[in-house]
């Protein structure tokens, strides 16, 4: 067909090239390209015969003979093809709209709910020296949040939800027909197959992601019923918190278990160290009272007694020497060192007689019989005073000897005890070493014991800082499939596109075939 936009020469060349006598009957051989005439030998063959290098093909039509025919297609061809294929367009449109309507009526609806959770990487600081340390670096915090995000959709959390909501008995989570058929031949694993099918179905309905530049995690859950979707979302959050708590409790439990295992060894070590201290103390007689060795206390007390005995000895010696001097000088009557009741009485009598003698001398004279009797009485009193003085001196001598003997005995004991103190002090050096070892081991044991008890109590405390800032709410409409009107519009557009494509494809195929037959 002639088109004004084509040059006249090009149209004539195409008509000349494809001009061929037609045969009445059609054949597949008509579709084969004609044998090139001598004048139409390709340029590469001519060049090769003349000894010239093969030129690079400059036209794609050398490899695709039917491609030049596409240039002769006009708008009227396309309109004619669409008119001829109108029934295909209508059929495709009807099929797609019917398919969309059928899908809208039979597709399982999905109701999606969203839950916003703040996963704070810093746990609650319940105790000052917790088992878990918080890293202030932001990258480490993001990694911790991502780890907890992975925990939110882990199998442990899904198993908790399945067990809590009994999803194995829910028809929505029933196994596929193939899985159910396989379960018939393995009845012992039927329950495991149901749980695995429920877990796979639930994992497809759960999705979690972290918001950019925040610690907020968005949990997406869908189900066939709005209320069930909300229930699943709440169960997922509860299972997530329980899993984090159980994970922390198990970690603390492992630490406590290791500490308790270590405590047995530390307890035996402390017992052995304290036993060594007591055995060494008993073997060396290192008795202690109030934190001090008894030998040191006894030595101190003996030294005190020696000092007191020495003072008493000095006093007794001085008293005895004074008495001896008074007796030697005949001053027993006037010496104050002689003190006793009899001496006092005798002195009083002696003074009375002495006064009487003085009075009689003035009254009667020297030869008066009464004066002589008084003098005789004075002599008797003097003898009694001297005898009493000697008796007191003998008693002082006995006290002096006793104090000296006591002092000597105490000095001997003090010297002996002093040697024992030196020996005990040498032994106490090794005892102190043993006591330090025992105290160190006891301190380590007490520290581990307190830490183990603290960690054991820590297992009962939930320190995970997880907060739900937006609870799941029942959705107003389903998230999939879209509304029926949208599906119908989409089906109509898809059917129209498929029908137009099919009509144009059939028309192009017929046109090319007709052109090739015309040039045959």
């Amino acid at each position: 067909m002639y088109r004004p936009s084509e040059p006249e020469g090009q149209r004539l060349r195409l008509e000349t090239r494809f001009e061929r006598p037609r045969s009445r009957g059609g054949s597949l051989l008509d579709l084969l390209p004609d044998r090139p005439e001598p004048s139409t030998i390709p340029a590469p063959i001519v060049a090769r015969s003349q000894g010239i290098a093969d030129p690079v093909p400059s036209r794609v039509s050398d490899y695709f003979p039917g491609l030049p025919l596409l240039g002769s297609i006009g708008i009227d061809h396309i309109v004619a093809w669409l008119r001829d294929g109108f029934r295909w367009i209508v059929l495709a449109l009807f099929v797609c709209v019917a398919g969309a309507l059928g899908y809208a009526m039979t597709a399982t609806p999905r109701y999606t709910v969203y839950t916003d959770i703040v996963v704070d990487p810093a746990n609650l600081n319940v105790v000052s020296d917790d088992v878990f340390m918080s890293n202030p670096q932001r990258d480490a915090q993001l990694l911790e949040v991502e780890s907890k995000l992975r925990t939110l959709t882990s199998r442990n959390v899904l198993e908790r939800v399945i067990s809590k909501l009994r999803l194995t008995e829910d028809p929505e989570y029933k196994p596929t027909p193939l899985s159910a058929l396989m379960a018939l031949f393995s009845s012992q694993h039927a329950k495991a197959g149901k749980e695995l099918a429920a877990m796979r179905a639930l994992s497809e309905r759960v999705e979690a992601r972290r918001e950019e530049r925040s610690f907020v995690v968005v949990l997406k859950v869908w189900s066939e019923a709005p209320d069930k979707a909300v229930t699943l979302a709440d169960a997922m959050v509860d299972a997530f918190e329980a899993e984090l708590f159980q994970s922390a409790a198990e970690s603390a439990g492992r630490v406590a278990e290791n500490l308790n295992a270590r405590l047995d060894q530390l307890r035996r070590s402390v017992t052995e160290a304290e036993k060594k201290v007591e055995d060494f103390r008993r073997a060396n007689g290192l008795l202690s009272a109030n934190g001090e060795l008894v030998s040191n206390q006894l030595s101190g007390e003996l030294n005190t007694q020696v000092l007191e005995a020495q003072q008493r000895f000095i006093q007794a010696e001085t008293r005895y020497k004074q008495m001896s001097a008074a007796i030697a000088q005949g001053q027993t009557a006037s010496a104050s060192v002689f003190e006793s009741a009899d001496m006092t009485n005798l002195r009083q009598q002696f003074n009375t007689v002495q006064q009487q003698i003085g009075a009689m001398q003035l009254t009667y004279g020297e030869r008066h019989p009464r004066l002589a009797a008084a003098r005789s009485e004075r002599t008797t009193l003097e003898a009694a005073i001297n005898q009493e003085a000697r008796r007191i001196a003998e008693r002082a001598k006995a006290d002096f000897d006793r104090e000296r003997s006591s002092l000597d005995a105490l000095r001997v004991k003090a010297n002996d005890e002093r040697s024992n103190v030196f020996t005990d002090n040498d032994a106490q050096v090794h005892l102190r070493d043993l006591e330090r070892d025992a105290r160190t081991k006891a301190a380590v044991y007490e520290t581990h014991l307190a830490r183990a008890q603290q960690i054991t109590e820590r297992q009962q405390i939930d320190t995970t800082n997880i907060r739900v800032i937006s609870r799941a709410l029942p959705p107003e409409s389903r998230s999939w499939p879209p509304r029926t009107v949208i599906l119908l519009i989409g089906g109509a557009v898809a059917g129209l596109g498929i029908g137009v494509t099919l009509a144009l494809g059939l028309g192009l195929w017929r046109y090319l075939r007709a052109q090739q037959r015309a040039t045959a």
Side-chain angles (χ1 to χ4, degrees):
M1 180 178 180
Y2 172 74
R3 291 198 307 172
S5 60
E6 294 181 351
E8 184 67 21
Q10 182 178 358
R11 184 177 64 83
L12 293 176
R13 284 196 303 270
L14 289 175
E15 293 179 353
T16 304
R17 183 174 180 179
F18 292 99
E19 184 178 359
R20 183 177 180 180
R22 295 185 178 180
S23 59
R24 294 183 179 180
S27 175
L28 295 176
L29 296 177
D30 298 337
L31 300 177
L32 296 176
D34 297 336
R35 180 177 299 178
E37 299 294 334
S39 60
T40 60
I41 297 176
I45 298 176
V46 176
R48 192 179 301 112
S49 63
Q50 297 177 2
I52 303 174
D54 294 344
V56 178
S58 58
R59 294 187 303 172
V60 182
S61 61
D62 292 338
Y63 298 99
F64 300 97
L67 188 62
L69 297 176
L70 298 178
S72 61
I73 299 175
I75 299 298
D76 50 353
H77 290 87
I78 296 175
V79 173
W81 296 344
L82 292 177
R83 183 176 63 252
D84 296 339
F86 182 75
R87 61 182 180 276
W88 296 106
I89 296 175
V90 174
L91 180 60
L93 180 64
F94 175 77
V95 170
C96 291
V97 171
L101 180 60
Y103 181 78
M105 297 176 62
T106 60
T108 302
R110 295 183 182 181
Y111 294 90
T112 305
V113 295
Y114 299 89
T115 304
D116 296 338
I117 308 172
V118 175
V119 181
D120 196 341
N123 293 331
L124 299 176
N125 191 11
V126 179
V127 293
S128 58
D129 50 349
D130 200 356
V131 181
F132 307 100
M133 298 179 61
S134 59
N135 198 327
Q137 298 182 359
R138 181 172 178 82
D139 294 339
Q141 291 179 345
L142 291 178
L143 289 177
E144 185 173 357
V145 174
E146 292 292 340
S147 300
K148 292 181 178 179
L149 175 61
R150 181 65 184 86
T151 305
L152 179 58
T153 57
S154 63
R155 292 182 180 178
N156 291 343
V157 175
L158 297 181
E159 287 178 356
R160 290 177 179 271
V161 176
I162 292 172
S163 176
K164 180 179 180 181
L165 301 181
R166 298 180 179 179
L167 297 183
T168 55
E169 303 175 1
D170 194 333
E172 183 179 348
Y173 301 90
K174 62 182 179 180
T176 60
L178 180 60
S179 300
L181 181 61
M182 294 178 62
L184 294 177
F185 298 97
S186 58
S187 57
Q188 56 181 352
H189 301 291
K191 182 177 180 181
K194 291 182 179 180
E195 292 179 355
L196 184 59
M199 183 175 296
R200 290 176 179 173
L202 182 59
S203 62
E204 296 175 356
R205 289 164 169 75
V206 174
E207 181 183 352
R209 59 180 177 83
R210 182 179 62 86
E211 293 291 340
E212 285 289 335
R213 305 177 63 84
S214 69
F215 296 146
V216 177
V217 173
V218 179
L219 175 63
K220 176 183 175 182
V221 180
W222 66 268
S223 182
E224 297 178 2
D227 297 337
K228 186 183 295 185
V230 175
T231 304
L232 281 176
D234 295 339
M236 286 289 296
V237 174
D238 296 339
F240 175 52
E241 294 177 348
E243 180 65 23
L244 291 182
F245 171 67
Q246 182 178 356
S247 176
E250 289 179 354
S251 300
R254 287 193 297 269
V255 175
E257 183 178 357
N258 294 332
L259 285 176
N260 290 327
R262 179 61 179 163
L263 283 177
D264 295 335
Q265 300 178 0
L266 293 177
R267 187 183 299 109
R268 289 192 297 268
S269 178
V270 171
T271 303
E272 292 176 359
E274 292 179 349
K275 189 175 182 300
K276 289 181 180 179
V277 171
E278 296 301 326
D279 292 343
F280 185 82
R281 192 191 302 274
R282 187 181 301 107
N284 294 272
L286 300 178
L287 302 178
S288 60
N290 298 327
E292 187 178 0
L293 290 177
V294 175
S295 58
N296 291 336
Q297 296 179 359
L298 183 59
S299 178
E301 292 177 359
L302 286 176
N303 291 331
T304 303
Q305 292 177 7
V306 168
L307 292 176
E308 293 177 355
Q310 189 174 5
Q311 292 177 357
R312 292 194 302 270
F313 171 74
I314 294 173
Q315 292 176 359
E317 183 182 16
T318 303
R319 187 166 176 265
Y320 174 69
K321 288 181 178 180
Q322 289 178 355
M323 289 180 181
S324 299
I327 292 173
Q329 295 175 3
Q331 299 178 357
T332 56
S334 61
S336 61
V337 69
F338 301 101
E339 295 292 340
S340 67
D342 294 339
M343 180 62 76
T344 301
N345 188 19
L346 291 175
R347 284 177 178 177
Q348 290 177 356
Q349 292 179 8
F350 179 78
N351 292 331
T352 301
V353 172
Q354 187 69 19
Q355 290 175 2
Q356 290 178 358
I357 291 174
M360 287 181 184
Q361 286 179 352
L362 295 175
T363 303
Y364 299 110
E366 293 293 334
R367 296 182 179 182
H368 194 274
R370 295 183 63 182
L371 182 59
R375 287 177 176 175
S376 177
E377 185 179 359
R378 184 179 64 181
T379 302
T380 303
L381 290 175
E382 288 178 354
I385 290 173
N386 292 332
Q387 185 178 0
E388 181 66 20
R390 284 192 295 272
R391 189 181 64 80
I392 294 174
E394 291 176 356
R395 188 171 60 188
K397 177 68 169 55
D399 293 340
F400 169 69
D401 294 338
R402 185 178 66 252
E403 294 295 337
R404 182 171 56 186
S405 299
S406 176
L407 178 61
D408 293 340
L410 288 174
R411 283 177 176 174
V412 172
K413 290 183 179 180
N415 292 332
D416 295 340
E417 193 62 34
R418 190 176 297 111
S419 63
N420 293 333
V421 168
F422 293 149
T423 304
D424 293 345
N425 288 337
D426 293 338
Q428 195 176 15
V429 174
H430 185 62
L431 178 63
R432 291 195 187 100
D433 189 17
L434 294 177
E435 288 177 343
R436 280 193 297 270
D437 183 61
R439 285 196 301 269
T440 302
K441 292 181 178 179
V444 174
Y445 170 70
E446 291 175 357
T447 302
H448 281 69
L449 180 61
R451 187 61 174 162
Q453 293 177 352
Q454 183 181 10
I455 295 175
T456 303
E457 294 298 328
R458 164 68 174 78
Q459 292 181 260
Q460 311 299 326
I461 303 175
D462 186 7
T463 60
T464 54
N465 197 1
I466 305 297
R467 291 178 292 122
V468 179
I469 58 177
S470 296
R471 285 282 180 184
L473 297 177
E476 297 180 355
S477 60
R478 64 189 183 187
S479 58
W480 185 264
R483 290 182 298 177
T484 306
V485 176
I486 297 177
L487 283 177
L488 292 178
I489 295 175
V493 173
L496 185 61
I498 294 174
V500 170
T501 303
L502 183 61
L504 292 178
L506 290 175
L508 179 61
W509 179 75
R510 291 172 180 173
Y511 173 76
L512 293 177
R513 186 175 179 182
Q515 292 295 331
Q516 289 178 358
R517 288 179 178 178
T519 59

